[in-house]
Amino acid sequence: MSAVSINNIIKNTIKHWNYISEDIHEPRNHAEYQKLSNILDQLLDIVGENESHKLMGLVDVVSHMIDRYDERKNYFGKEISGVTALKFLMKQHNLNQSDLPEIGSQGVVSEVLKGKRKLNINQIKKLSKRFHISPGTFI
């Protein structure tokens, strides 16, 4: 890639960044965290199940920002995976595998809980709505 095209990419990025920089940044407080979580929820609604959607990069960035805030506030801690968080929520809500139709059949839930299968975007979106928590928790 030539220096001219890189320069154009940077100029375009700066131009567009001016529109979103007030909303898309690592949250510094709970209000900003909630705002960013709402943005992520809306992005996941747009992306749906299409993991190759052009906005998936933005979903990843926003999820990462939410995760960093969670780590700093120790909501689940740094070493907790999405599956561990799901197991914790299942225990807290007294749920078993058949109580999670958001994920799929009991067999699919079992594979997710054993780490043999990863949660997809649609499953994450549904679980975050059910438990009223950030989708970043499961990513």
Side-chain angles (χ1 to χ4, degrees), residues 47-58:
V47 168
E49 294 183 41
N50 183 359
E51 295 185 28
S52 62
H53 194 284
K54 288 183 179 183
L55 291 175
M56 279 306 295
L58 184 56

Side-chain angles (χ1 to χ4, degrees), residues 82-97:
V83 171
T84 303
L86 178 58
K87 289 177 183 178
F88 171 80
L89 290 165
M90 289 174 66
K91 185 175 181 180
Q92 291 297 309
H93 293 270
N94 198 28
L95 301 173
N96 58 45
Q97 293 177 3

Side-chain angles (χ1 to χ4, degrees), residues 41-130:
D41 288 342
Q42 290 178 29
L43 286 170
L44 289 172
D45 286 341
I46 293 167
V47 168
E49 294 183 41
N50 183 359
E51 295 185 28
S52 62
H53 194 284
K54 288 183 179 183
L55 291 175
M56 279 306 295
L58 184 56
V59 168
D60 291 341
V61 169
V62 171
S63 295
H64 178 73
M65 291 175 181
I66 289 170
D67 285 343
R68 298 243 320 136
Y69 183 85
D70 285 339
E71 288 173 1
R72 285 195 311 271
K73 294 298 180 181
N74 279 329
Y75 288 141
F76 284 110
K78 293 182 182 180
E79 302 300 322
I80 303 298
S81 69
V83 171
T84 303
L86 178 58
K87 289 177 183 178
F88 171 80
L89 290 165
M90 289 174 66
K91 185 175 181 180
Q92 291 297 309
H93 293 270
N94 198 28
L95 301 173
N96 58 45
Q97 293 177 3
S98 61
D99 296 324
L100 295 171
E102 297 88 351
I103 297 176
S105 69
Q106 191 170 348
V108 172
V109 175
S110 178
E111 288 181 348
V112 168
L113 294 174
K114 290 178 181 175
K116 294 181 178 180
R117 179 186 289 220
K118 291 188 176 200
L119 292 168
N120 65 38
I121 295 294
N122 190 45
Q123 293 164 328
I124 289 169
K125 183 172 78 171
K126 289 177 180 178
L127 287 170
S128 68
K129 285 183 181 182
R130 177 179 184 161

Side-chain angles (χ1 to χ4, degrees), residues 10-40:
I10 292 171
K11 283 181 182 178
N12 283 331
T13 301
I14 291 169
K15 176 183 164 186
H16 294 287
W17 185 249
N18 289 329
Y19 293 109
I20 66 170
S21 63
E22 286 192 33
D23 298 318
I24 308 296
H25 59 81
E26 284 194 25
R28 296 174 293 253
N29 55 50
H30 187 70
E32 289 180 356
Y33 173 85
Q34 286 300 116
K35 185 176 184 180
L36 200 59
S37 293
N38 289 335
I39 290 169
L40 181 59

